[in-house]
């Protein structure tokens, strides 16, 4: 692949590019077009506030497919003892909004996303759905810039930590059950969830707060009550497992 970014971005030189995009590209360790990476980081709320700029949803669509294929092939190859149903469950966990948001947080993706003011002020940089969608867009940008092999390698590098921690992998598959079990193990009461929502009906956002007695309180967000509660449960489970309130 061409490593001269000025050729395939049309921006003339690295110095004219958003420095944050350049730093993030180097962090990813792939030869990704700065222009495409910038697009991958552009949320529709930012695009709308800036006169209808292009945003990352088409790249997200592409990245979702690349992610699914990479994870499916890896699971089939590396886990020959699992049957179809078990493989499907693991794939669903690894490509879930919660798992992708966790991956995004691990590389500091939230601080790189271009968000509209309203979305930014309501905690958009840590919303699981925004993080997951942007992560898929980054994968799509990598595929278009560096090709399928580089995109697959990026996916596997990002999701492998989930596989290396079996307990967390199980928690990501069913975080609410895992949290309930963790609460019982430390003698805490059952988790209690509260839900708040905002935005118009066609773009409703949900924020869940889960409290486990005096042990931990955590929040999570998503495009549905279920996703928000799952995100909050995984965060609470992580804190209990780490021994942090």
């Amino acid at each position: 692949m061409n490593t001269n970014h000025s050729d395939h971005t049309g921006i003339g030189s690295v110095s004219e590019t958003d420095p944050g995009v350049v730093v993030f590209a180097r962090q990813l360790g792939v030869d990704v077009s700065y222009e495409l990476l910038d697009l991958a980081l552009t949320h529709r709320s930012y695009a709308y506030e800036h006169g209808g700029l292009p945003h990352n949803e088409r790249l997200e669509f592409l990245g979702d497919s690349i992610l699914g294929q990479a994870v499916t092939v890896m699971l089939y190859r590396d886990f020959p003892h699992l049957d179809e149903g078990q493989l499907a469950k693991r794939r669903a966990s690894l490509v879930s909004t919660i798992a992708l948001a966790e991956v995004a947080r691990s590389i500091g993706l939230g601080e790189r996303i271009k968000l509209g003011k309203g979305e930014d002020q309501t905690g958009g940089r840590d919303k699981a759905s925004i993080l997951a969608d942007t992560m898929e867009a980054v994968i799509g940008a990598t595929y278009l810039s560096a090709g399928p092999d580089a995109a697959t390698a990026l996916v596997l590098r990002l999701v492998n930590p989930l596989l290396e921690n079996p307990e967390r992998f199980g928690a990501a598959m069913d975080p609410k059950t895992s949290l309930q079990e963790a609460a019982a193990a430390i003698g805490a009461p059952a988790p209690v969830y509260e839900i708040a929502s905002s935005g118009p009906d066609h773009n409703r956002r949900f924020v869940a707060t889960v409290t486990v007695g005096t042990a931990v309180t955590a929040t999570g967000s998503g495009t549905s009550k279920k996703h928000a509660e799952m995100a909050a449960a995984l965060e609470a489970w992580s804190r209990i497992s780490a021994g942090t309130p």
Side-chain angles (χ1 to χ4, degrees), residues 24 27-28 30 37 40-42 56 59-64 66-67 94-110 113 127-143 151 154-155 157-159:
F24 187 54
Q27 180 185 346
L28 288 174
V30 293
L37 185 57
L41 297 172
T42 302
N56 64 8
L59 283 175
E60 174 197 334
F61 171 79
L62 175 63
D64 177 68
I66 304 305
L67 170 71
L94 288 174
V95 303
S96 70
T97 295
I98 290 175
L100 285 179
E102 181 179 345
V103 166
R105 292 187 183 101
S106 74
I107 61 173
L109 181 60
I113 303 174
K127 286 183 180 177
S129 57
I130 291 178
L131 288 170
D133 290 347
T134 306
M135 194 70 255
E136 289 178 338
V138 168
I139 293 168
T142 301
Y143 177 88
L154 176 64
V155 168
R157 176 155 47 90
L158 292 173
V159 303

Side-chain angles (χ1 to χ4, degrees), residues 1-235:
M1 283 290 168
N2 186 354
T3 58
N4 184 342
H5 289 282
S6 63
D7 286 346
H8 56 74
T9 62
I11 55 177
S13 69
V14 171
S15 63
E16 297 173 19
T17 307
D18 180 344
V21 173
V22 176
V23 170
F24 187 54
R26 291 171 179 164
Q27 180 185 346
L28 288 174
V30 293
D31 180 33
V32 58
S33 154
Y34 298 138
E35 183 181 42
L36 280 174
L37 185 57
D38 185 69
L39 179 60
L41 297 172
T42 302
H43 188 257
R44 62 181 176 183
S45 61
Y46 180 93
Y48 176 78
E49 288 185 9
H50 290 77
L53 295 173
H55 52 72
N56 64 8
E57 291 183 1
R58 281 174 53 83
L59 283 175
E60 174 197 334
F61 171 79
L62 175 63
D64 177 68
S65 178
I66 304 305
L67 170 71
Q69 181 182 38
V71 168
T72 299
V73 173
M74 177 272 290
L75 289 173
Y76 182 88
R77 182 190 63 222
D78 294 350
F79 296 89
H81 60 288
L82 297 182
D83 62 26
E84 179 187 4
Q86 293 171 316
L87 288 171
K89 287 181 180 179
R90 293 207 177 190
R91 178 178 60 189
S93 175
L94 288 174
V95 303
S96 70
T97 295
I98 290 175
L100 285 179
E102 181 179 345
V103 166
R105 292 187 183 101
S106 74
I107 61 173
L109 181 60
E111 65 189 65
R112 306 290 186 192
I113 303 174
K114 292 186 174 182
L115 290 174
K117 292 180 180 179
E119 195 68 69
D120 197 6
Q121 291 171 355
T122 56
R125 295 188 185 281
D126 197 47
K127 286 183 180 177
S129 57
I130 291 178
L131 288 170
D133 290 347
T134 306
M135 194 70 255
E136 289 178 338
V138 168
I139 293 168
T142 301
Y143 177 88
L144 292 177
S145 299
D149 290 345
T152 296
L154 176 64
V155 168
L156 298 183
R157 176 155 47 90
L158 292 173
V159 303
N160 270 337
L162 295 178
L163 288 170
E164 291 168 4
N165 186 341
E167 289 185 0
R168 187 167 185 81
F169 184 80
M173 289 181 69
D174 190 354
K176 294 184 71 173
T177 299
S178 296
L179 176 59
Q180 189 169 348
E181 292 172 349
I186 63 173
V192 176
Y193 295 86
E194 295 182 0
I195 291 285
S197 62
S198 62
D201 289 342
H202 68 276
N203 190 27
R204 205 76 171 156
R205 312 296 301 186
F206 296 88
V207 176
T209 301
V210 60
T211 303
V212 184
T214 59
V216 68
T217 297
T219 61
S221 61
T223 55
S224 69
K225 292 180 181 179
K226 178 182 178 181
H227 285 158
E229 288 182 347
M230 290 174 68
L234 184 58
E235 177 63 24

